[in-house]
Amino acid sequence: MTFEVQHTDPASNARAGLIMTDHGPIETPIFMPVGTVGSVKAVHFSELREQVKAQIILGNTYHLYLRPGLEILRKAGGLHQFNTWERPILTDSGGFQVFSLTGIRKLSEEGCEFRSHIDGSKHFFTPENVIDTQRTIGADIIMAFDECPPGQSDYQYASKSLKLTQHWLDRCVKRFNETEPLYGYRQTLFPIVQGCTYKDLRQDAAKHVVDTLGKLNDGGGASIGGLAVGEPTEVMYEMIEVVNEILPKDRPRYLMGVGTPQNILESIERGVDMFDCVMPTRNGRNAMLFTYQGTMNMRNKKWEDDFSPIDPEGCEIDRIHSKAYLHHLFKAQELLAMQIASIHNLAFYLRLVMDARLHICQGDFVQWKRSVIEQLGQRV
């Protein structure tokens, strides 16, 4: 993988870049639709390509490990062959999912024992077998195994957790360096910066990640984890600034699991390049549409006889269907409602980051961001 910073905004840390992978280019800043089990909920791959214009999607190591399982994925030739998505894929390490299984997991220095949320069967993740699992899945960009502590963790717990994550990262790097990709194309490992909301821990984590990147000859970037998990938004932005002061400027920075349109623009201003979040599809399935005018609840009666397009500036589906029709579909509990809303929201998120990229290249990102960000948070 390679990364080139192509433009920087003169009034902020925002930048426009280009990631090159063996499955194609990724223009940054970029939003990545979440395809947990190898599919983006309610959205076909042709729609992801043509309507959403997704350049990269996510898969989840924990869920793919459980279903369909590694044997099936290996026989298929990896996730790209299995789900027929020919563009880049990123997988997370499964750490967030495993550590959210409160009460059915057991943590140790060696790894994490957990029980499947599907059938209760017992499994054990280590840094080494998580790398092996992601080799089998075959994503272009893979994550190191980490512990994602609760957002309100006290300092003692956060410090202990970070030491464990750093120990696991060293083991992940060793395993990654001594193994090879399985399917004839290159993979890149991203370390994850943890440290909760404590400045010194975040600084220590970022410095360790910088050292780690020097041991990886794969052109990879760094992920920022453990944010948007309950801490105040202002604290999240502060932690991003702390971390990005240390992370190298010539590597992509991925903020995991974030967030609202406003979160994304604020984070781009602070130098973040990559984002993912379930919010566009989850909110879409619940009739909430993101637009530049604000958020629309399509179950509201006000849309009942509004025959204007869902979004006249949006993707093709937005321009074809009316607000009244989508309102009707939600009231009638038709599956098509969730599909249209999910496509709209994902297309809007990709449009948002591409518009941000355009304004970074034009040199007026901050002015543009200020002109749209307040309206983005309104309820229409």
Side-chain angles (χ1 to χ4, degrees):
M1 191 194 92
T2 62
F3 175 64
E4 174 191 1
V5 177
Q6 297 174 313
H7 296 276
T8 55
D9 179 61
S12 74
N13 289 319
R15 68 251 195 100
L18 180 67
I19 296 171
M20 289 299 301
T21 75
D22 287 353
H23 281 99
I26 306 162
E27 293 181 318
T28 65
I30 191 65
F31 180 82
M32 303 177 283
V34 177
T36 303
V37 294
S39 68
V40 178
K41 283 184 172 59
V43 183
H44 193 276
F45 287 124
S46 63
E47 294 158 340
L48 282 173
R49 285 187 289 264
E50 297 159 19
Q51 301 283 336
V52 174
K53 303 191 185 306
Q55 299 178 45
I56 175 174
I57 64 170
L58 265 70
N60 181 265
T61 294
Y62 166 82
H63 288 283
L64 290 166
Y65 163 82
L66 293 176
R67 289 186 301 199
L70 301 185
E71 183 180 357
I72 296 297
L73 289 167
R74 189 179 293 109
K75 287 180 178 179
L79 184 58
H80 286 93
Q81 293 294 318
F82 188 56
N83 69 3
T84 71
W85 177 255
E86 73 281 6
R87 296 178 184 178
I89 296 176
L90 179 150
T91 45
D92 66 17
S93 68
F96 179 81
Q97 283 70 28
V98 167
F99 298 114
S100 66
L101 298 171
T102 307
I104 53 174
R105 64 164 172 93
K106 185 178 179 181
L107 195 61
S108 68
E109 180 124 339
E110 179 60 24
C112 185
E113 179 185 283
F114 63 94
R115 291 190 177 274
S116 164
H117 72 286
I118 300 167
D119 59 10
S121 57
K122 189 182 292 186
H123 304 270
F124 195 73
F125 273 2
T126 68
E128 291 79 12
N129 68 29
V130 164
I131 294 296
D132 293 345
T133 295
Q134 291 183 90
R135 290 290 199 197
T136 301
I137 295 169
D140 301 86
I141 301 172
I142 69 177
M143 296 297 118
F145 192 48
D146 65 327
E147 182 188 4
C148 184
Q152 305 302 326
S153 298
D154 61 35
Y155 186 88
Q156 183 179 3
Y157 183 91
S159 179
K160 181 181 178 182
S161 171
L162 178 58
K163 285 183 173 61
L164 185 63
T165 286
Q166 291 174 330
H167 174 60
W168 284 355
L169 173 57
D170 295 341
R171 288 167 57 189
C172 282
V173 169
K174 183 175 184 297
R175 187 64 161 200
F176 182 81
N177 284 339
E178 66 190 16
T179 57
E180 296 291 333
L182 301 180
Y183 308 116
Y185 54 85
R186 291 168 293 180
Q187 292 180 286
T188 296
L189 175 65
F190 276 36
I192 301 175
V193 177
Q194 290 288 355
C196 289
T197 58
Y198 301 102
K199 182 178 179 179
D200 63 321
L201 296 184
R202 285 283 175 181
Q203 289 171 326
D204 180 50
K207 290 173 184 174
H208 186 79
V209 163
V210 171
D211 292 340
T212 298
L213 289 172
K215 302 172 186 175
L216 290 165
N217 189 28
D218 62 354
S223 301
I224 306 171
L227 295 176
V229 288
E231 79 282 356
T233 304
E234 297 75 20
V235 174
M236 177 177 73
Y237 297 148
E238 180 190 354
M239 292 301 105
I240 293 169
E241 291 172 3
V242 166
V243 169
N244 280 350
E245 282 182 4
I246 298 170
L247 294 180
K249 291 181 170 57
D250 61 347
R251 303 291 187 109
R253 301 157 178 167
Y254 164 33
L255 181 59
M256 306 178 78
V258 177
T260 67
Q262 303 99 298
N263 292 157
I264 288 175
L265 293 187
E266 293 286 0
S267 300
I268 289 172
E269 184 174 7
R270 289 162 171 82
V272 175
D273 307 293
M274 304 168 69
F275 303 87
D276 81 285
C277 191
V278 297
M279 190 173 287
T281 46
R282 179 177 289 169
N283 285 28
R285 295 194 303 274
N286 287 285
M288 303 298 290
L289 300 192
F290 295 103
T291 75
Y292 270 120
Q293 287 68 49
T295 305
M296 301 190 299
N297 183 342
M298 298 313 297
R299 290 196 177 97
N300 287 350
K301 187 175 177 60
K302 66 183 291 186
W303 310 119
E304 186 176 44
D305 59 354
D306 186 335
F307 302 106
S308 64
I310 294 169
D311 186 345
E313 304 298 322
C315 64
E316 183 183 7
I317 282 177
D318 288 333
R319 300 191 301 269
I320 289 174
H321 297 299
S322 69
K323 297 180 181 74
Y325 180 61
L326 185 55
H327 169 81
H328 156 69
L329 293 177
F330 273 112
K331 295 295 284 187
Q333 299 184 354
E334 283 291 316
L335 294 178
L336 183 58
M338 295 187 284
Q339 184 178 14
I340 291 173
S342 296
I343 293 169
H344 163 84
N345 278 349
L346 287 174
F348 176 73
Y349 268 58
L350 266 295
R351 179 179 156 205
L352 183 73
V353 294
M354 286 298 100
D355 286 349
R357 177 184 170 85
L358 173 65
H359 287 282
I360 293 167
C361 294
Q362 291 178 176
D364 64 350
F365 170 78
V366 171
Q367 300 95 302
W368 170 77
K369 189 210 80 170
R370 288 173 180 165
S371 73
V372 300
I373 197 161
E374 186 174 345
Q375 193 63 42
L376 284 168
Q378 300 298 312
R379 289 295 181 97
V380 183

